[in-house]
């Protein structure tokens, strides 16, 4: 299901000890590991190698040109990622920035990191794809004003 959120300023949560910065190709291995470890086996990728390949493809613009993307760090540990492309390559995707991934380390969930990451793109209309059966994700996105689009 595709959800769309119009541009609408939302409060940026303050999470002590967590800093954001844009992703770089040099983050690929850490990002691939976090991507693999953040999902149940087989949901995002079948194994670590596949997750690393998917992240490499992301940096090669395989899903579109990255924009507005951010990584969250607690100290030197990568704990969250928000990967957004200018426009998704899929025919059913709306013509606006598209969130291709939002994930947090299992050890850092329910601390507001996903909300912090989402708040970085509140000034623009943005869309994403979500499994309607993923209740925690649906609740998060609805709380940010995402609606079926």
């Amino acid at each position: 299901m595709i959800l769309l959120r119009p541009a609408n300023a939302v409060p940026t949560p303050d999470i002590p000890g967590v800093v954001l910065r844009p992703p770089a190709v040099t983050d690929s291995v850490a990002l691939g590991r976090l991507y693999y470890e953040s999902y149940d086996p087989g949901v995002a990728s079948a194994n670590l190698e596949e997750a690393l390949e998917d992240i490499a493809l992301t940096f090669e613009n395989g899903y579109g040109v990255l924009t507005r993307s951010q990584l969250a760090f607690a100290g030197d540990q990568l704990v969250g990622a928000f990967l957004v492309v200018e426009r998704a390559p899929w025919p059913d995707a709306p013509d606006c920035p598209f969130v291709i991934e939002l994930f947090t380390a299992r050890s850092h969930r329910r601390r507001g990191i996903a909300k912090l990451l989402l708040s970085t793109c509140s000034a623009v209309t943005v869309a994403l794809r979500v499994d309607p059966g993923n209740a925690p994700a649906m609740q998060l996105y609805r709380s940010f004003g995402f609606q079926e689009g």
Side-chain angles (χ1 to χ4, degrees), residues 54-115:
D54 198 31
I55 294 300
L57 186 58
T58 299
F59 281 108
E60 294 166 3
N61 300 329
Y63 303 109
V65 177
L66 286 174
T67 185
R68 302 178 182 273
S69 298
Q70 294 288 314
L71 302 181
F73 289 85
D76 62 353
Q77 181 185 4
L78 177 61
V79 295
F82 182 56
L83 303 177
V84 183
V85 294
E86 290 176 359
R87 169 129 189 10
W90 306 289
D92 62 339
D95 188 16
C96 64
F98 197 91
V99 179
I100 58 170
E101 287 295 343
L102 171 62
F103 51 91
T104 57
R106 291 177 189 268
S107 61
H108 284 72
R109 290 191 180 155
R110 309 213 52 84
R111 297 184 188 187
I113 293 170
K115 289 181 180 180

Side-chain angles (χ1 to χ4, degrees), residues 1 4 41 46 51-52 70 88 97 103 105 124 128 134 146-147:
M1 161 189 304
L4 188 69
L52 291 168
Q70 294 288 314
F103 51 91
V124 298
L128 53 80
N134 185 340
F146 281 87
Q147 301 174 358

